[in-house]
Amino acid sequence: MFRVVVGMERRVDLLQFDWSGTISDDRMPVFAANMRMCDFYGIERPNNFADWIKTTTKGVQDWFLERGASATRDEIWEQYTSNFRTVISEGKVPTIYEDASEVLRMLKDQGKKLAVVSSHPQENVRREAEEYGVAHYFEEIVGTVVEKADGIRELCSRLDIKPSRTAYV
C-alpha cells in the first residue's frame, strides 16, 4: 500500500502539488506555444524539443527576457497564455501522467488533504483537472501563482494548516 512519510515523527496534513510536470504532462503544448512566441518576438528557435527542454529551468518570462524579448513580464505572460490557448484549441493538449489519478485517490483514501499550487493559468489548471477526472480530490486548485512559496503559505493559512504540517510535491 502506498504511504506518505515525511521524517519519522512528522505528520503531514496537507499535500500541495505543482501541476505541470507533476500531475499534468504539458511539455508538447508548452513547447509549441513557446515556438510561436519565438516567432512573435523574433527570437531564434531552439533546433528541436530536446534542445528546448534543456533550457527550460525557469519560467516563460525569464526564458524570453534572457533571450532579448522586448516586453514586460506581464506582456510575455499574456502572449504565452494566448498562444497556449491557441495550441490547445488546435488539438495539442496536455495529458495526465499515467499513475497520477491512482496516487491521488490513494492519498485521499488515507485522509490526506490535497491541493494544487501552480504558476500555470488558473483556468487551464482547473479545466485540465476536470478533464482528467481528478478535480474532486483537491481542497483547492490555485493557478496563476507568481511566487510559489507565497502561494503555499497563503493556502496553508486559508485551510488553517501550519506550513510545518504540509509538503509540496
Side-chain angles (χ1 to χ4, degrees):
M1 181 165 173
F2 184 87
R3 295 187 66 194
V4 174
V5 179
V6 179
M8 293 297 287
E9 298 136 13
R10 186 170 173 203
R11 192 175 91 215
V12 174
D13 295 323
L14 174 65
L15 286 164
Q16 298 185 50
F17 292 85
D18 192 8
W19 189 252
S20 175
T22 305
I23 294 172
S24 179
D25 182 358
D26 62 356
R27 292 172 295 177
M28 294 312 291
V30 169
F31 173 67
N34 275 257
M35 294 309 96
R36 289 172 186 231
M37 291 177 64
C38 283
D39 297 341
F40 180 81
Y41 289 118
I43 293 170
E44 184 177 347
R45 287 179 170 213
N47 292 324
N48 53 43
F49 175 81
D51 288 346
W52 170 78
I53 200 76
K54 292 176 194 172
T55 68
T56 60
T57 58
K58 296 181 180 179
V60 67
Q61 293 108 324
D62 291 330
W63 197 91
F64 280 95
L65 288 170
E66 288 173 3
R67 284 157 182 79
S70 295
T72 66
R73 295 178 70 75
D74 289 343
E75 290 168 338
I76 292 170
W77 186 250
E78 258 182 59
Q79 187 66 28
Y80 170 75
T81 57
S82 173
N83 279 287
F84 191 81
R85 272 191 227 106
T86 300
V87 166
I88 298 294
S89 73
E90 294 171 354
K92 193 171 291 223
V93 297
T95 57
I96 190 168
Y97 283 107
E98 185 177 333
D99 295 336
S101 184
E102 179 182 352
V103 169
L104 294 171
R105 181 189 53 76
M106 289 174 13
L107 290 168
K108 199 68 171 172
D109 287 349
Q110 290 178 13
K112 298 296 180 193
K113 288 186 178 182
L114 311 176
V116 172
V117 176
S118 175
S119 61
H120 282 270
Q122 176 83 23
E123 65 187 67
N124 294 1
V125 176
R126 284 191 185 280
R127 179 181 36 73
E128 287 177 33
E130 290 292 336
E131 288 172 3
Y132 300 160
V134 298
H136 65 282
Y137 292 126
F138 300 107
E139 303 291 316
E140 287 197 45
I141 297 173
V142 183
T144 319
V145 175
V146 176
E147 294 293 334
K148 287 186 184 169
D150 293 340
I152 291 166
R153 280 190 292 274
E154 183 180 318
L155 189 54
C156 285
S157 176
R158 274 204 310 270
L159 296 176
D160 196 29
I161 295 174
K162 293 178 182 178
S164 62
R165 304 292 286 246
T166 191
Y168 187 73
V169 181

